């Protein structure tokens, strides 16, 4: 798969996970931490990480849409995911076994793939206008250059 396509697919997956965290933080917290996961401040932190993932995903897609530098977005996303993986390992007693395994696997994959994609997409490829995310955030290909 082409590096640009892989970056867009990863960014869209990140956006989807972020939307799920914002829309249903208690359910996401329950999936991650079991019955007690939806208590206290946990849903707030699920929303915070959901918002972060939406921003990182949108930044990546908009940069590719515009032909702008994308390496920083991909490396920043990889670092955020690596931190999530480390924090999950440190707090493994609070996570369900499934959530721990899934989080560490995704974090590890992102920590490896993100910087590699960033290098392959540096310098940035030419603009690829028309991505729905870019248009929805006001980046219209006809008026922006």
């Amino acid at each position: 798969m082409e590096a640009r396509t892989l970056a867009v697919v990863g960014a869209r997956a990140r956006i989807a996970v972020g939307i799920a965290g914002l829309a249903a933080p208690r359910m996401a917290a329950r999936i991650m931490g079991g019955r007690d996961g939806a208590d206290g401040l946990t849903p707030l932190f699920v929303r915070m990480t959901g918002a972060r993932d939406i921003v990182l995903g949108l930044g990546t897609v908009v940069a590719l849409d515009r032909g702008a530098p994308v390496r920083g977005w991909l490396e920043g996303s990889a670092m955020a995911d690596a931190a999530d993986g480390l924090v999950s390992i440190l707090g493994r007693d609070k996570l369900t076994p499934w959530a721990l395994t899934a989080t560490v696997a995704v974090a590890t994959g992102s920590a490896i793939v993100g910087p590699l994609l960033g290098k392959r997409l540096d310098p940035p490829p030419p603009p690829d206008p028309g991505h729905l995310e870019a248009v929805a955030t006001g980046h219209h290909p006809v008026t922006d250059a």
Side-chain angles (χ1 to χ4, degrees):
M1 184 179 292
E2 183 183 322
R4 180 196 318 243
T5 303
L6 191 55
V8 169
V9 168
R12 286 181 173 155
R14 180 178 295 283
I15 292 166
V17 167
I19 290 170
L22 277 177
R26 289 192 185 286
M27 183 187 314
R30 209 173 299 117
I31 290 168
M32 294 287 294
R35 273 181 109 69
D36 296 333
D39 295 339
L41 289 172
T42 304
L44 169 70
F45 288 105
V46 169
R47 277 200 169 117
M48 289 168 58
T49 57
R52 177 199 71 187
D53 282 341
I54 291 169
V55 169
L56 290 170
L58 284 175
T60 300
V61 176
V62 170
L64 289 166
D65 187 88
R66 301 286 88 208
V70 70
R71 185 174 183 173
W73 287 106
L74 294 168
E75 290 173 347
S77 296
M79 286 187 284
D81 289 340
D84 289 347
L86 178 60
V87 169
S88 295
I89 291 168
L90 294 173
R92 65 187 166 274
D93 60 319
K94 302 290 185 194
L95 295 172
T96 63
W98 179 88
L100 176 62
T101 301
T103 302
V104 171
V106 169
T108 302
S110 176
I112 294 167
V113 172
L116 293 174
L117 278 177
K119 286 180 184 176
R120 292 197 54 204
L121 293 170
D122 188 23
D128 184 25
H131 290 278
L132 176 63
E133 298 87 351
V135 173
T137 57
H139 293 82
H140 300 288
V142 177
T143 58
D144 292 352

